[in-house]
Amino acid sequence: MVNVALTDPMCSPAKSVRYRAWIERWIPGVEVRVLSYMRDNLADLDACAGLVLSGGGDVNPMLYDRPDALPMASEIDERRDAFEFRVIEAAVRREIPVLLPGLLARRSPS
């Protein structure tokens, strides 16, 4: 069995269900492990072959030195930002593939 980590979208249980169904459709028999700062379960990533970043509220613009963007940001969750940065760093360090579906959805076809 393969394990895939999914960051908790936090803003919507329905979104979490859709992501899980999407992953299960593409990877039969997969076990989806939801990572969340509320569960403090970064260590679960160790057993995973991939990571899906679910998206959600905006990343605090101060983290990428853009205070001018702060008035346009919504649903900032600093605890989630800190946790997900740790998740991404761990995935990169362990060479675990990372998928950002929200980013793919915004890209226009070439």
Side-chain angles (χ1 to χ4, degrees):
M1 174 184 301
V2 66
N3 298 314
V4 171
L6 169 68
T7 56
D8 190 344
M10 313 258 321
C11 59
S12 164
K15 187 175 181 182
S16 184
V17 169
R18 284 194 308 271
Y19 269 109
R20 183 181 294 271
W22 175 74
I23 294 167
E24 290 170 347
R25 185 177 79 199
W26 289 102
I27 309 171
V30 70
E31 180 179 331
V32 178
R33 297 188 179 204
V34 178
L35 303 180
S36 169
Y37 73 82
M38 295 180 79
R39 297 177 183 169
D40 193 25
N41 61 344
L42 175 61
D44 286 358
L45 183 63
D46 290 338
C48 295
L51 169 63
V52 178
L53 296 175
S54 65
D58 293 334
V59 174
N60 187 336
M62 300 301 284
L63 293 173
Y64 50 92
D65 199 29
R66 287 289 312 271
D68 59 301
L70 198 54
M72 297 172 276
S74 64
E75 299 180 39
I76 293 172
D77 185 334
E78 293 181 6
R79 293 176 298 171
R80 181 178 180 191
D81 289 348
F83 179 77
E84 290 195 4
F85 272 94
R86 289 181 23 232
V87 169
I88 293 165
E89 289 171 347
V92 169
R93 201 171 38 254
R94 295 173 182 132
E95 298 182 356
I96 295 171
V98 179
L99 180 64
L100 301 102
L103 181 63
L104 295 173
R106 286 190 204 87
R107 294 193 61 167
S108 56
S110 300

